[in-house]
Amino acid sequence: MTLGIDPGTRKCGYAVLAHAGAAPEEIGIVETPALANLVTGLLTRYPIRAIALGSGTHAPPVAKALRACGVPVHVVDEHETTLRARFRYFQDHPPRGWRRWVPRGMLLPPRPIDDYAALLIAERFVAATLVAEAAT
């Protein structure tokens, strides 16, 4: 299993992914200071073998805190994850009423989507791992 994390100054999105193509086991958003405690709890509930951390601005301090958990932390390029997370959110939660007529690229989700960004980061890491394994 892989834990994807979208690091932020105030909040972090997280997603636990079993394997490529699977729905997330758990997904959410947590305040950044509470992230280490959350990860400790997730490690007791799931057999997480890797943490995929987005390469955002706040990644270095989050990586430092996560390394104490004892699970390998891999920094993953998070280029365009916010845009793709918005698209993924609207796939899961299609607009209703008059909003369904507005192009999705112009809509903003009604809540933060850091959890969807974390899911995309985890999926990106798992896909890259599969490609690396296939090459060997």
Side-chain angles (χ1 to χ4, degrees):
M1 289 193 146
T2 302
L3 172 61
I5 296 179
D6 179 34
T9 307
R10 294 184 313 264
K11 63 187 182 318
C12 295
Y14 69 93
V16 178
L17 188 63
H19 56 80
E25 298 290 323
E26 189 171 330
I27 188 168
I29 300 173
V30 65
E31 298 293 322
T32 301
L35 181 64
N37 288 338
L38 173 85
V39 170
T40 301
L42 291 173
L43 291 173
T44 62
R45 292 195 308 271
Y46 302 104
I48 296 171
R49 296 178 188 258
I51 296 175
L53 177 66
S55 62
T57 307
H58 202 62
V62 171
K64 183 177 179 182
L66 292 175
R67 284 194 172 87
C69 295
V71 175
V73 177
H74 305 273
V75 178
V76 177
D77 178 26
E78 64 174 53
H79 182 70
E80 291 187 354
T81 53
T82 302
L83 180 64
R84 292 175 190 263
R86 186 185 313 166
F87 180 77
R88 183 79 165 265
Y89 174 85
F90 285 119
Q91 277 185 323
D92 291 351
H93 308 282
R96 299 181 184 271
W98 64 268
R99 292 179 187 269
R100 67 185 173 173
W101 302 110
V102 177
R104 290 189 183 173
M106 296 178 68
L107 289 174
L108 292 176
R111 67 169 188 81
I113 54 171
D114 303 88
D115 51 350
Y116 277 85
L119 176 60
L120 293 171
I121 290 166
E123 288 175 343
R124 195 173 282 180
F125 173 76
V126 169
T129 302
L130 289 174
V131 168
E133 289 174 359
T136 56

